[in-house]
């Protein structure tokens, strides 16, 4: 019978220590399941956010076009350059406008720079058909904004000349950041023309003179600097051009704005259409 060799206690300790150390290393290198899942979720959100800002939003439209994809072409997904204060303000004011105008929001024309962003926002509203007029160059616009132009939802047109629409083609016309660049000579042509193509009114968003900051690229893009006027100037001008302020719409808008705690950053005028 062979005798058993005595086990070296120090070796047993060493072996146990090595096994313990190896188990410790494995446990540290293995990521907990919930951490892996968390990283996957965060990555998915980042991917979705990037895709949304890069490709734009999807909106439904009632008519020949059932779905459009709009590229808002900017880091904020709302403005192409951040210069259009009142165009952004229109988007904020849409819920208030819906309350004030009700059924008159069913066929809307927006006129102003970066109109694609406003059209995209309005298309999200139920029972609202929307078109836009971009009065300036769209070379820097995103792919899907140009797609809107190709589909005829947005037109590029010089608003100093007659618009390509019949009288009362739209229930409501909303204008932002467009009239500010017109001299009185062209304003006398453009505003009556906008009133002509509306049936239920016009809403004008224009900046406050004290809020305007001149930018170097502004003159080259818009052909001149903005001529921001005071509310007194505008009211006097409306009287001179036989455009009447819509007191009913003004009251409803103010009531809706108060309920929603909405404080506009631009001057907003509500006008009646020509009869």
């Amino acid at each position: 019978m062979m005798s058993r060799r005595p086990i070296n206690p120090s070796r047993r300790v060493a072996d146990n220590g090595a096994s313990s150390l190896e188990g410790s290393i494995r446990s540290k290198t293995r990521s907990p399941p919930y951490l892996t899942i968390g990283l996957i979720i965060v990555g998915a959100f980042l991917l979705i956010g990037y895709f949304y800002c890069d490709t734009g939003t999807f909106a439904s439209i009632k008519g020949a076009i059932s779905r459009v994809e709009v590229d808002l072409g900017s880091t904020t997904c709302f403005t192409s350059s951040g210069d259009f204060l009142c165009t952004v303000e229109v988007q904020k004011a849409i819920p208030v406008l819906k309350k004030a105008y009700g059924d008159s929001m069913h066929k809307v024309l927006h006129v102003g720079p970066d109109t694609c962003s406003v059209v995209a926002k309005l298309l999200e509203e139920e029972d609202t058909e929307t078109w836009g007029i971009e009065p300036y160059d769209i070379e820097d616009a995103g792919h899907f904004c140009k797609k809107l132009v190709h589909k005829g939802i947005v037109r590029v047109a010089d608003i100093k000349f007659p618009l390509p629409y019949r009288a009362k083609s739209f229930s409501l016309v909303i204008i932002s950041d467009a009239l500010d660049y017109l001299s009185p000579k062209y304003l006398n042509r453009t505003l009556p023309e906008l009133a002509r193509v509306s049936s239920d009114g016009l809403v004008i968003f224009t900046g406050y003179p004290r809020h305007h900051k001149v930018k170097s690229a502004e003159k080259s893009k818009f052909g001149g600097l903005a001529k921001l006027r005071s509310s007194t100037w505008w009211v006097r001008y409306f009287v001179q051009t036989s455009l009447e302020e819509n007191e009913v719409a003004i009251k409803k808008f103010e009531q809706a704005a108060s309920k929603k705690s909405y404080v506009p950053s631009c001057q907003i005028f509500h006008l009646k259409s020509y009869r």
Side-chain angles (χ1 to χ4, degrees):
M1 180 179 296
M2 296 180 63
S3 62
R4 297 179 59 184
R5 294 179 59 185
I7 297 174
N8 189 342
S10 62
R11 183 176 178 180
R12 177 179 294 176
V13 172
D15 290 343
N16 290 342
S19 300
S20 176
L21 178 60
E22 183 180 358
S24 175
I25 293 173
R26 287 180 180 176
S27 63
K28 288 182 179 180
T29 55
R30 186 183 300 122
S31 299
Y34 61 82
L35 178 60
T36 303
I37 294 171
L39 290 174
I40 291 173
I41 293 173
V42 171
F45 275 112
L46 290 174
L47 184 61
I48 292 171
Y50 174 80
F51 177 79
Y52 180 82
C53 286
D54 187 56
T55 61
T57 59
F58 294 97
S60 59
I61 180 171
K62 297 76 182 174
I65 301 171
S66 61
R67 201 169 191 180
V68 293
E69 192 174 23
V70 182
D71 181 8
L72 302 177
S74 71
T75 56
T76 63
C77 296
F78 287 107
T79 60
S80 59
S81 64
D83 297 341
F84 312 127
L85 171 65
C86 293
T87 294
V88 176
E89 194 66 33
V90 172
Q91 298 173 55
K92 295 178 182 178
I94 287 174
V96 183
L97 289 169
K98 290 280 286 185
K99 287 288 185 182
Y101 284 91
D103 293 340
S104 294
M105 288 282 288
H106 74 276
K107 199 171 185 180
V108 179
L109 173 69
H110 174 262
V111 180
D114 202 28
T115 190
C116 289
S117 63
V118 177
V119 169
K121 193 72 174 176
L122 284 167
L123 286 174
E124 296 174 0
E125 301 294 323
E126 292 185 3
D127 303 321
T128 300
E129 297 180 27
T130 309
W131 289 264
I133 290 183
E134 171 59 63
Y136 305 108
D137 195 4
I138 62 165
E139 286 185 1
D140 297 333
H143 171 71
F144 292 105
C145 182
K146 293 179 180 178
K147 197 172 182 179
L148 284 179
V149 174
H150 179 71
K151 290 179 179 292
I153 298 174
V154 170
R155 288 176 180 260
V156 179
D158 191 337
I159 60 174
K160 297 192 293 292
F161 300 98
L163 300 176
Y165 302 110
R166 296 179 180 179
K168 303 186 185 302
S169 292
F170 307 96
S171 55
L172 191 69
V173 174
I174 302 173
I175 310 107
S176 62
D177 296 314
L179 303 180
D180 300 329
Y181 292 91
L182 298 179
S183 65
K185 172 185 175 182
Y186 290 114
L187 193 59
N188 290 338
R189 299 180 187 177
T190 301
L191 200 51
E193 182 68 3
L194 293 170
R196 179 187 69 82
V197 301
S198 67
S199 61
D200 296 340
L202 296 86
V203 184
I204 299 173
F205 287 73
T206 182
Y208 289 100
R210 65 180 182 274
H211 288 174
H212 183 61
K213 295 180 180 180
V214 176
K215 299 190 177 184
S216 58
E218 185 178 355
K219 188 170 183 179
S220 60
K221 182 174 178 63
F222 304 120
L225 299 178
K227 304 170 181 64
L228 300 183
R229 290 105 173 179
S230 66
S231 59
T232 303
W233 188 95
W234 279 110
V235 171
R236 185 168 60 247
Y237 178 78
F238 297 148
V239 172
Q240 292 173 355
T241 52
S242 301
L243 283 166
E244 185 181 351
E245 289 194 83
N246 191 335
E247 297 296 339
V248 174
I250 291 172
K251 185 175 181 180
K252 288 183 177 179
F253 185 88
E254 289 176 348
Q255 290 174 345
S258 177
K259 289 180 180 179
K260 293 181 177 294
S261 300
Y262 168 69
V263 180
S265 300
C266 297
Q267 299 181 91
I268 304 176
F269 299 99
H270 304 264
L271 305 178
K272 293 181 179 180
S273 303
Y274 285 138
R275 299 301 177 190

